[in-house]
Amino acid sequence: DSLLFLLEKLIMDKVSLSIMKTNYEAKTNEYSDLMRSLSQEMKLLSQAKDQLRNCREDEDSSEIELSIRDSSETIEDLEVRLDVLEEEMEHIRSKLPSIDSSNQDEV
């Protein structure tokens, strides 16, 4: 009975470890995607600000200002999502301190 218990525990631990690694990899991919989106949005914001600076006084700048506001809000949203994701990844790393080295071992 004790051998069976140990075997079941070992299997459960391996499955749990595998699930956490998969979850961590998914979060890492999501983090990368969010960082790319953030970079693109920051470029759009910069372009819109340049357009506003180069806008003549007689031109209607409300559309550009709206674009700047939208980009700023999107950037804030992405930053919040990145912060949450970082915390989730840190939580997983705290449970699996060797997750980075074990990923390298599999390569």
Side-chain angles (χ1 to χ4, degrees), residues 38-105:
L38 180 63
S39 176
Q40 292 170 349
E41 198 62 44
M42 291 178 96
K43 287 178 187 175
L44 291 174
L45 178 61
S46 178
Q47 291 170 355
K49 286 182 176 181
D50 287 344
Q51 284 179 340
L52 186 62
R53 276 192 292 272
N54 297 329
C55 187
R56 294 192 312 256
E57 288 184 23
D58 60 338
E59 289 183 59
D60 184 18
S61 62
S62 61
E63 189 175 315
I64 298 171
E65 290 169 351
L66 181 61
S67 176
I68 290 173
R69 193 170 339 126
D70 288 346
S71 283
S72 295
E73 289 175 2
T74 301
I75 288 170
E76 286 178 24
D77 179 55
L78 288 169
E79 288 174 340
V80 168
R81 290 170 57 195
L82 283 166
D83 286 343
V84 169
L85 205 49
E86 285 175 0
E87 289 177 20
E88 291 172 354
M89 291 169 68
E90 183 60 36
H91 178 73
I92 293 171
R93 274 194 301 266
S94 71
K95 290 183 176 183
L96 304 169
S98 64
I99 193 162
D100 290 328
S101 63
S102 65
N103 282 344
Q104 292 172 354
D105 291 345

Side-chain angles (χ1 to χ4, degrees), residues 7-8 13 19-20 29 32 47 56 86 91 95 106:
L7 185 58
E8 286 176 354
D13 288 348
I19 290 170
M20 281 194 260
N29 291 335
S32 295
Q47 291 170 355
R56 294 192 312 256
E86 285 175 0
H91 178 73
K95 290 183 176 183
E106 293 174 3

Side-chain angles (χ1 to χ4, degrees), residues 7-23:
L7 185 58
E8 286 176 354
K9 177 153 178 30
L10 178 66
I11 291 171
M12 287 175 40
D13 288 348
K14 289 284 189 184
V15 169
S16 178
L17 179 65
S18 177
I19 290 170
M20 281 194 260
K21 283 182 179 181
T22 302
N23 192 13

